[in-house]
Amino acid sequence: MPDSTIAVITPFHNTDKELFNSAVSSMETQILSKDRIECIIVVDNSEDEYLEYVRQRTQELKYVTIYELNNDKRTASSPRNYALEHVNSTYITFLDSDDMLTPECLSTIVRGMDETQADLGKYRGERRQEDESIASFLDNRVRFSQTKSLISFRKDSPEISKLLTMANMMMSCQVIRTVFLNEHHIRFNEDIRFEEDVVFNLECLNNASLIAVFPQMIGDIYYMHHGSTMQETTLSDERLLRICHDISTQLELGL
């Protein structure tokens, strides 16, 4: 059987160049062989200077493919869906353009997914903050026993309830079998603008037959900054109503 491959999907929208450089550097340091990595970067509604920087920074990396997407969608859902249509790898994971992967991340999750034959895998992350004033609502506590490096269970197991946390509803720290996504036609709802990843993750959990968890491995370093949606302190009436609509959609599916 040929060695399994993994696609890393990265939406890019006018990301700080230094932060993006760190994200790319974290791909370069992966211990998994680069011929088993497919890095897909979708430059979404970005200014020309940022597109040029992305091309320049990755021009020597043969495993990187860059797509340009310009439309009226203003969330990460649209570029993620676009990238999903171009994946050629066995597995998919997600890396935001201002985050980083630890060197052993891709190697560990590919090996674990091959071993368990799971549809969906979850691994751990850590966060780094722009400064001390950042408000964090993420609960990153590990709810699984850390005496094992790999755990797998069926969807009807009570263990699945341990994944129903805000941290596990984010797009980071997960690996998905590509065939599973396509067979169940799971994509991002581009009409949801607030926490659009929640519905996607709930649909994955609802359809996965077998789930793998990596309780010991920290694979993603998540950057929290003042420009993120979670740090907004002033909302217009229209924005607030939109958020209420999106949350009600998430709760309906969750229930």
Side-chain angles (χ1 to χ4, degrees):
M1 187 174 93
D3 291 333
S4 295
T5 55
I6 185 166
V8 181
I9 291 178
T10 299
F12 179 102
H13 174 70
N14 292 339
T15 303
D16 179 90
K17 295 174 183 177
E18 183 177 340
L19 292 174
F20 178 69
N21 179 61
S22 297
V24 175
S25 296
S26 78
M27 291 299 304
E28 293 174 309
T29 59
Q30 290 301 305
I31 63 175
L32 183 68
S33 174
K34 298 301 186 296
D35 61 3
R36 299 173 64 187
I37 298 174
E38 176 189 15
C39 183
I40 301 175
I41 301 173
V42 180
V43 181
D44 166 47
N45 293 296
S46 293
E47 298 172 14
D48 290 343
E49 68 170 286
Y50 289 95
L51 173 61
E52 182 57 34
Y53 178 76
V54 172
R55 287 173 173 164
Q56 178 185 3
R57 177 61 181 85
T58 60
Q59 62 183 348
E60 302 297 329
L61 307 179
K62 295 181 179 180
Y63 52 91
V64 174
T65 303
I66 298 170
Y67 294 99
E68 184 180 1
L69 181 64
N70 293 299
N71 56 23
D72 60 352
K73 304 291 185 179
R74 297 292 171 174
T75 71
S77 294
S78 182
R80 284 172 179 156
N81 281 339
Y82 189 85
L84 287 172
E85 299 306 316
H86 294 83
V87 169
N88 296 304
S89 298
T90 316
Y91 305 113
I92 296 166
T93 194
F94 297 88
L95 174 67
D96 285 350
S97 55
D98 54 3
D99 294 345
M100 297 184 293
L101 296 179
T102 57
E104 71 281 0
C105 177
L106 298 184
S107 176
T108 302
I109 59 180
V110 167
R111 184 171 61 250
M113 293 292 282
D114 281 350
E115 178 182 332
T116 60
Q117 291 297 295
D119 296 318
L120 174 67
K122 297 281 187 176
Y123 52 96
R124 295 174 56 192
E126 283 188 350
R127 61 178 181 262
R128 58 189 179 117
Q129 299 179 184
E130 184 175 4
D131 57 51
E132 294 301 318
S133 67
I134 291 290
S136 176
F137 304 98
L138 298 179
D139 182 357
N140 282 339
R141 289 178 298 175
V142 181
R143 288 174 161 77
F144 296 90
S145 171
Q146 295 182 62
T147 60
K148 295 182 179 180
S149 60
L150 180 61
I151 300 170
S152 62
F153 51 86
R154 297 283 172 184
K155 182 177 70 173
D156 56 1
S157 168
E159 291 286 275
I160 198 172
S161 65
K162 296 178 181 179
L163 294 176
L164 298 178
T165 67
M166 179 62 77
N168 280 308
M169 291 297 106
M170 297 173 61
M171 287 320 302
S172 58
C173 300
Q174 64 179 304
V175 53
I176 311 170
R177 189 175 295 274
T178 307
V179 170
F180 161 75
L181 277 183
N182 293 335
E183 284 181 346
H184 292 279
H185 308 290
I186 300 175
R187 292 294 187 268
F188 292 88
N189 185 334
E190 297 183 16
D191 292 327
I192 295 179
R193 294 179 177 270
F194 180 73
E195 296 182 1
E196 69 284 345
D197 37 12
V198 173
V199 170
F200 180 91
N201 279 295
L202 288 172
E203 289 182 344
C204 286
L205 284 173
N206 185 50
N207 286 284
S209 297
L210 187 64
I211 300 164
V213 176
F214 302 81
Q216 296 177 351
M217 190 197 70
I218 295 173
D220 181 272
I221 310 298
Y222 171 66
Y223 182 63
M224 301 184 69
H225 57 93
H226 288 286
S228 68
T229 302
M230 294 297 291
Q231 300 302 314
E232 288 186 66
T233 56
T234 304
L235 298 172
S236 66
D237 291 346
E238 181 181 1
R239 173 71 169 148
L240 188 58
L241 286 171
R242 184 73 205 188
I243 289 175
C244 290
H245 171 270
D246 291 350
I247 290 177
S248 67
T249 302
Q250 297 161 17
L251 289 174
E252 182 180 359
L253 179 60
L255 290 172

